[in-house]
């Protein structure tokens, strides 16, 4: 586990949706911030006297590219001290204390069966990192399905980029799924669960990666096991 704290400089901020922002952060002490796709960093934010109550973790949304800059995508949580601080106080040029990379939510060593990336909201971040890395490195991989659930079209993150990746990568399939959109949406409706259950009607071997809100993850774990899959097939990263 990486216990070293670094100084990060915010180089760019972009409003992605009405309540999410993309933050680019450079770590000047390093020439290469080396990490595995799927890992996260932890900030120490000045929001509490107790150390462990100041720490907030975010998955890295960019892929390892040999540089010392990473991208995060962060949602403003109602009443959330960490995200409120980042949205209100942090500007381009601001400094943040961070450590990482951390976590074991990474691609399987043996990619011998289909992979289902199931996420809600900013839970898409680690999967974006994984898929872009596989494309960039031209690594062989099985069929991969990214099932991204949110409420409305306006809440979709990285939508154009994911469609573009799906066009370039024959084995990457993008399934945006909206639970509340009514006007002009031609894609999947409802929740992520119906999508993977339908795709896996044949019960073929698969790896499942779940990232997002606890409610979605809890339900997905139950449903995937009810389909006959083993708990060892399920990997998860919890948000909130």
């Amino acid at each position: 586990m990486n216990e070293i704290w670094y100084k990060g400089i915010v180089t760019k901020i972009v409003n992605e949706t009405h309540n999410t922002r993309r933050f680019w952060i450079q770590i000047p002490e390093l020439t290469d911030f080396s990490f595995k796709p799927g890992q996260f960093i932890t900030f120490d934010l000045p929001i509490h006297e107790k150390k462990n109550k100041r720490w907030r973790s975010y998955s890295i949304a960019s892929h390892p590219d040999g540089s010392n800059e990473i991208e995060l995508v962060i949602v403003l949580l109602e009443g959330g001290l960490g995200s409120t601080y980042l949205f209100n106080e942090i500007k381009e040029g601001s400094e943040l204390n961070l450590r990482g990379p951390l976590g074991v939510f990474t691609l399987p060593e043996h990619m011998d069966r289909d992979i289902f990336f199931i996420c809600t909201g900013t839970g898409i971040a680690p999967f974006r990192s994984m898929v872009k890395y596989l494309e960039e490195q031209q690594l062989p991989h099985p069929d991969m399905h990214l099932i991204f659930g949110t409420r409305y079209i306006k809440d979709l993150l990285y939508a154009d980029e994911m469609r573009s990746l799906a066009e370039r990568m024959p084995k990457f399939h993008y399934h945006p799924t909206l639970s509340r959109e009514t006007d002009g949406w031609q894609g999947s409706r409802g929740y992520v669960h119906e999508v993977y259950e339908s795709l896996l009607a044949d019960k073929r071997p698969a790896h499942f990666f779940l990232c997002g809100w606890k409610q979605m993850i809890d339900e997905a774990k139950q449903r995937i096991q009810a389909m006959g899959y083993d708990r060892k097939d399920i990997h998860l990263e919890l948000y909130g």
Side-chain angles (χ1 to χ4, degrees):
M1 184 162 161
N2 192 338
E3 296 287 354
I4 302 169
W5 290 91
Y6 299 105
K7 180 176 75 177
I9 309 283
V10 178
T11 55
K12 185 178 167 187
I13 300 173
V14 169
N15 289 323
E16 186 70 0
T17 70
H18 73 287
N19 68 344
T20 58
R21 280 185 193 167
R22 296 164 71 181
F23 293 79
W24 281 261
I25 296 157
Q26 192 177 46
I27 298 96
E29 294 159 74
L30 304 173
T31 51
D32 172 12
F33 186 79
S34 181
F35 64 95
K36 289 181 179 176
Q39 289 191 298
F40 62 89
I41 59 99
T42 296
F43 286 133
D44 184 359
L45 302 174
I47 53 175
H48 202 279
E49 287 168 20
K50 288 187 179 166
K51 233 195 274 190
N52 60 347
K53 296 203 172 174
R54 297 199 304 258
W55 294 349
R56 295 292 185 278
S57 298
Y58 299 97
S59 292
I60 302 170
S62 48
H63 61 285
D65 60 1
S67 80
N68 64 352
E69 190 172 64
I70 56 171
E71 179 188 334
L72 309 175
V73 58
I74 297 173
V75 63
L76 179 61
L77 290 175
E78 200 175 324
L81 290 180
S83 61
T84 299
Y85 176 82
L86 291 168
F87 272 60
N88 291 349
E89 306 298 329
I90 295 302
K91 313 280 185 281
E92 291 177 4
S94 293
E95 293 184 4
L96 288 160
N97 289 323
L98 65 91
R99 73 173 182 189
L102 303 157
V104 294
F105 188 70
T106 54
L107 286 162
E109 205 173 316
H110 303 293
M111 293 203 279
D112 50 359
R113 45 196 150 134
D114 289 5
I115 297 177
F116 285 77
F117 299 128
I118 303 162
C119 57
T120 48
T122 53
I124 193 173
F127 304 141
R128 177 188 186 236
S129 179
M130 291 175 188
V131 175
K132 289 190 70 141
Y133 175 76
L134 290 171
E135 184 195 34
E136 186 112 334
Q137 299 294 317
Q138 297 187 319
L139 297 171
H141 60 82
D143 275 300
M144 300 183 298
H145 295 268
L146 174 65
I147 304 164
F148 176 46
T150 191
R151 292 176 177 179
Y152 300 102
I153 291 175
K154 67 181 174 68
D155 300 319
L156 285 172
L157 297 168
Y158 302 117
D160 291 343
E161 190 180 287
M162 292 303 125
R163 289 190 188 100
S164 175
L165 280 166
E167 282 169 16
R168 298 196 303 267
M169 301 172 74
K171 290 189 165 185
F172 173 61
H173 314 279
Y174 173 53
H175 309 274
T177 306
L178 305 182
S179 61
R180 296 197 184 170
E181 191 65 53
T182 50
D183 298 331
W185 175 246
Q186 303 298 314
S188 300
R189 292 173 178 273
Y191 296 98
V192 292
H193 312 292
E194 291 84 29
V195 180
Y196 61 77
E197 286 173 340
S198 160
L199 289 167
L200 283 163
D202 58 1
K203 304 287 198 290
R204 64 188 176 278
H207 284 290
F208 299 89
F209 285 78
L210 315 177
C211 189
W213 301 113
K214 184 177 186 305
Q215 193 179 349
M216 180 279 283
I217 286 181
D218 288 346
E219 186 171 345
K221 277 194 308 191
Q222 288 174 350
R223 289 198 184 211
I224 291 164
Q225 288 178 81
M227 290 163 73
Y229 291 97
D230 194 283
R231 278 176 65 174
K232 292 198 291 287
D233 300 329
I234 304 170
H235 317 270
L236 48 99
E237 193 84 288
L238 211 54
Y239 277 27

